[in-house]
Each structure stands twice: as structure tokens, then as C-alpha cells.
Amino acid sequence: ANFSLLGTNNPASTTTSSFTGISGKNELFLTFTNVQLASTGTITFRINADSGSNYLSNGFIIPGTGAPAVFTPRGGGTHMGNLQGTNADYSNGYVKISGCNTTGPKPYQIVWFDYNGSIYSAYSAGGIWNNASTVTSFDITSTTNFNAGAATTIKLYGSAA
């Protein structure tokens, strides 16, 4: 698939970053660079602002220390999953969504890397957005503000193929 840049967001001092007006794209690819929150919080992803129980996710977290933890939610969730962030963390990663221009389920993949100043952690999850709507928007929401000085960059790419 040939991906082209559809938009760039640099959220700062806000809890939400959104991409709207998406149409005619079957594949979406979002990249996240230098994601940092103003204080400890949780980042979630939603398609078309859907907060219904239409996300079926599973995956794992490999923390820098300790045993791997299970990515949440594991089924019937109201968003793609939870990722932790703090003002000491810098996180990078991506989300890929397929079948965006169809009426069937949309499979997605999340890969996330986190560095808290001394420990690296990795997150990987896959799932399905079980909704007949085509994808027209994507929301990134945090329980605390994105850090104003972090230069967080979120880019959305799309492909018609």
C-alpha cells in the first residue's frame, strides 16, 4: 500500500488529539513520536468517537522490570486499549487499521515503546473494531494533558489500497 500523509497534530496542554474528515482510505497508519503527558495518565484510542463495546483487543506489555502484564481491555471494550504515560516518559509507537472503507470488522494493531528515563517497556496488541461504519475519524485521548514542552507529534497516513 502507498501511504500518503493526511495530517499532523502536535497536542500540547490538551487531553485530546483528533483526526476528522477521513474518507476513501482503506488503510490508516498513525505514528506517535515523543508522546509525553504533563502528569501520570492513561492514553486511549477510539475510532469514530465510538465508546460502545465494539473493541475486541488482546496483547501484552513487556515492562522493563517484572513479569509481562496483559494489555487491557481483552474484549468488548469501549476503546482500543490503555497505555500509561507520565511526565518522565517519552513514548513512541504506531497504530495500523485495515478495512477502513468497508462495512465489515476493522482489524487493528498497536505497537508502543516507552522510556521513563532508565527503563524501556514495549506494548503490542491487536484487535478488531466490530462496527459496520466506515472510518471517518480517529481520537487520541488522555486522562491528563499532553505536555506542552514535549514536542509530541502524531501523524496520520492513509492508503486507498
Side-chain angles (χ1 to χ4, degrees):
N2 288 329
F3 287 95
S4 58
L5 182 63
L6 302 178
T8 301
N9 288 348
N10 300 101
S13 301
T14 183
T15 58
T16 303
S17 180
S18 298
F19 293 95
T20 60
I22 301 168
S23 67
K25 303 300 180 192
N26 198 47
E27 301 277 337
L28 294 176
F29 188 72
L30 293 102
T31 62
F32 299 84
T33 308
N34 293 328
V35 176
Q36 187 184 52
L37 302 180
S39 59
T40 301
T42 301
I43 300 169
T44 59
F45 306 122
R46 284 199 173 106
I47 299 170
N48 292 1
D50 180 6
S51 60
S53 297
N54 296 311
Y55 301 90
L56 306 172
S57 300
N58 205 346
F60 59 89
I61 300 169
I62 302 175
T65 59
V70 175
F71 183 88
T72 58
R74 289 182 281 168
T78 58
H79 49 78
M80 285 182 166
N82 295 331
L83 296 169
Q84 300 299 312
T86 71
N87 61 350
D89 289 4
Y90 282 93
S91 302
N92 299 285
Y94 70 85
V95 173
K96 185 177 181 188
I97 310 167
S98 300
C100 299
N101 211 26
T102 68
T103 58
K106 284 73 171 170
Y108 57 82
Q109 178 185 28
I110 301 170
V111 175
W112 198 259
F113 302 97
D114 184 68
Y115 177 66
N116 72 359
S118 62
I119 298 172
Y120 292 92
S121 299
Y123 306 74
S124 181
I128 295 171
W129 182 51
N130 196 17
N131 191 304
S133 298
T134 60
V135 176
T136 59
S137 67
F138 189 85
D139 299 313
I140 303 99
T141 304
S142 175
T143 55
T144 61
N145 281 344
F146 288 93
N147 193 340
T152 295
T153 302
I154 305 170
K155 293 185 178 184
L156 173 66
Y157 298 87
S159 173

